[in-house]
Amino acid sequence: MDFSLNEEQRMLTDMVGRFIEREYGFEDRRKLAETDRGWSTDNWTALADTGLLALNVPQAYGGLGASPIETLLIMEAFGRGLLLEPFVPTAIIGAALIEKLASEGQKSEMLGQLAAGTLRTAFATLEPQGRFDLADVLTSAHRNADGYRLNGRKSVVAHGDSADWLIVSARTSGAQRERFGISLFLVPTSAAGVMIRGFAGLDGQRVAEIELQDVQVAAEGLLGPVDQGFEDLDRAVDLGLFALCAEAVGCMAKLTELSVDYLQTRKQFGKPIGSFQSLQHRLADMLGYVEQSRSITLYAASALDGPVEQRRKAVSAAKALIGRAGRFIGQHAVQLHGGMGMTDELEIGWYFKRLTCIDMTWGDSDHHVERYSEML
């Protein structure tokens, strides 16, 4: 299989790389993360102006209709810069679900706004009691004369505090952990009864706890068939996991480069410590993990549009390996930098924090090993 990039993909990689280099210096990012919003509206506008927010919007709705490979290239570059903007919940998950499940009128209106950067979505899936189980849904949606009335709680919703719309999984029938009976809804964050508490996560990214109290949603707020939303929910999470795996590859590559640079400049006994064979072995192991992670993410990209079981296996395999690789590379990067590796002022700590949070998003390594084994 030929994994070489074509001319357009190389240009895309160069463009995103220049954006990260220009806007995402370590100190610039630190200042952004400390603001109330936690990210930059100027950067978001720049992402829209360069067409990156339209990447996964179909051409029929003014987008670029790109393949998973383009998403991989962008997310790896974003991982190198530790991007703070809500790209995954809006430009990847939101675009995919609206394009597949929304009405024609909703698609025409919302996808154009999404591509222009004037609309943001958040994906509210996990609940306090459910840990990583997407089917463990207590949030309820009861049919009434005006549509549906939603009640429940959602936890650790990425960028939920800056979204215009929430895509919410709710139970319209069935028992608590049944896959059948789950439906997806478009809920405006401005609706009465929507309560959002946003805060910064371990890695500086914004997350939110969301409570829905008698939130009235119009009938057209239902996305897809009633009671049959689990498969679309599951696929949307797999798309998000794939994007996070690509982002993690960028984080790990940057961590390894920072470690190489440090070992080449830090001297002991009159020579760079990078000349010590034991440390070279550690770097070689780190580089090996980066390449393994990149390869398995490419494999996941090739399986996203394939059969459901093949997609789920590929994504879980990538997530499991990358979680362990990120832990290995992060720990060794900290150790190679000595006592400085533990300080908040050094950027390697922030890459390690981001890798840790990626590992815990929608299932850690152990969870995805179990998920993979269930399909054997």
Side-chain angles (χ1 to χ4, degrees):
M1 185 177 293
D2 183 9
F3 289 115
S4 59
L5 303 181
N6 60 37
E7 183 63 28
E8 290 183 353
Q9 289 168 340
R10 285 194 293 270
M11 291 173 61
L12 177 65
T13 303
D14 292 342
M15 179 188 69
V16 181
R18 288 194 300 271
F19 169 77
I20 292 298
E21 185 177 351
R22 183 178 66 251
E23 302 295 343
Y24 264 86
F26 176 61
E27 290 302 325
D28 295 329
R29 183 192 184 274
R30 182 197 290 276
K31 292 176 183 177
L32 279 180
E34 292 173 351
T35 62
D36 291 338
R37 181 182 290 273
W39 52 274
S40 167
T41 54
D42 289 339
N43 286 345
W44 189 250
T45 300
L47 292 175
D49 291 343
T50 54
L52 295 180
L53 297 184
L55 194 74
N56 293 294
V57 173
Q59 293 180 349
Y61 300 98
L64 301 179
S67 73
I69 296 299
E70 282 76 36
T71 298
L72 184 154
L73 296 173
I74 288 175
M75 290 306 303
E76 184 173 341
F78 286 170
R80 296 178 68 88
L82 295 177
L83 190 86
L84 291 166
E85 282 68 39
F87 187 85
V88 173
T90 295
I92 295 178
I93 295 175
L97 285 174
I98 292 170
E99 187 274 327
K100 183 178 182 185
L101 301 176
S103 67
E104 192 60 37
Q106 288 171 322
K107 291 179 188 179
S108 298
E109 180 180 359
M110 298 183 74
L111 289 175
Q113 293 176 358
L114 188 153
T118 57
L119 180 148
R120 293 181 294 275
T121 62
F123 196 33
T125 56
L126 299 179
E127 300 191 359
Q129 80 288 344
R131 200 162 186 259
F132 302 135
D133 188 356
L134 297 175
D136 192 340
V137 176
L138 288 176
T139 298
S140 63
H142 295 291
R143 186 70 194 248
N144 59 25
D146 299 319
Y148 293 86
R149 189 168 293 276
L150 273 61
N151 285 277
R153 293 176 59 194
K154 296 294 180 179
S155 292
V156 200
V157 178
H159 294 283
D161 59 345
S162 62
D164 303 300
W165 292 85
L166 301 174
I167 300 175
V168 178
S169 59
R171 187 162 293 285
T172 42
S173 68
Q176 178 178 341
R177 295 181 178 86
E178 278 189 67
R179 294 186 174 185
F180 181 81
I182 294 174
S183 303
L184 299 179
F185 293 89
L186 265 176
V187 181
T189 55
S190 59
V194 177
M195 289 171 284
I196 301 174
R197 181 174 64 88
F199 54 95
L202 173 69
D203 56 355
Q205 298 271 353
R206 297 294 297 184
V207 292
E209 296 292 306
I210 296 176
E211 187 170 356
L212 307 170
Q213 291 187 357
D214 292 329
V215 178
Q216 184 64 44
V217 177
E220 56 267 25
L222 174 68
L223 285 176
V226 68
D227 292 336
Q228 300 177 38
F230 182 81
E231 291 303 323
D232 292 309
L233 169 66
D234 188 58
R235 183 177 185 276
V237 169
D238 280 349
L239 288 175
L241 287 171
F242 158 71
L244 291 178
C245 286
E247 181 185 353
V249 171
C251 290
M252 289 186 280
K254 183 66 174 181
L255 263 180
T256 303
E257 291 172 11
L258 291 171
S259 299
V260 170
D261 291 343
Y262 179 73
L263 265 59
Q264 289 176 340
T265 56
R266 174 75 167 90
K267 291 186 177 181
Q268 196 172 45
F269 306 115
K271 57 183 177 181
I273 60 176
S275 62
F276 302 154
Q277 192 174 52
S278 62
L279 301 186
Q280 292 175 0
H281 289 169
R282 289 198 190 188
L283 286 174
D285 290 339
M286 292 166 68
L287 286 167
Y289 265 121
V290 171
E291 292 307 316
Q292 287 181 45
S293 299
R294 184 175 285 115
S295 296
I296 204 166
T297 304
L298 280 166
Y299 169 62
S302 70
L304 283 180
D305 295 325
V308 173
E309 187 166 307
Q310 180 182 347
R311 182 201 77 220
R312 298 181 87 233
K313 281 183 177 180
V315 170
S316 282
K319 189 66 162 53
L321 186 147
I322 282 172
R324 294 174 179 177
R327 190 178 307 116
F328 178 92
I329 291 173
Q331 289 174 344
H332 279 73
V334 168
Q335 291 173 356
L336 290 171
H337 281 76
M340 289 196 307
M342 299 298 293
T343 62
D344 189 61
E345 290 76 15
L346 206 65
E347 55 189 313
I348 63 162
W350 287 98
Y351 283 95
F352 195 9
K353 289 176 183 178
R354 181 59 185 150
L355 287 169
T356 301
C357 289
I358 288 174
D359 183 39
M360 295 299 294
T361 301
W362 291 314
D364 59 10
S365 296
D366 292 339
H367 171 81
H368 281 280
V369 169
E370 292 176 8
R371 184 192 191 214
Y372 188 95
S373 65
E374 291 170 357
M375 293 181 282
L376 296 178

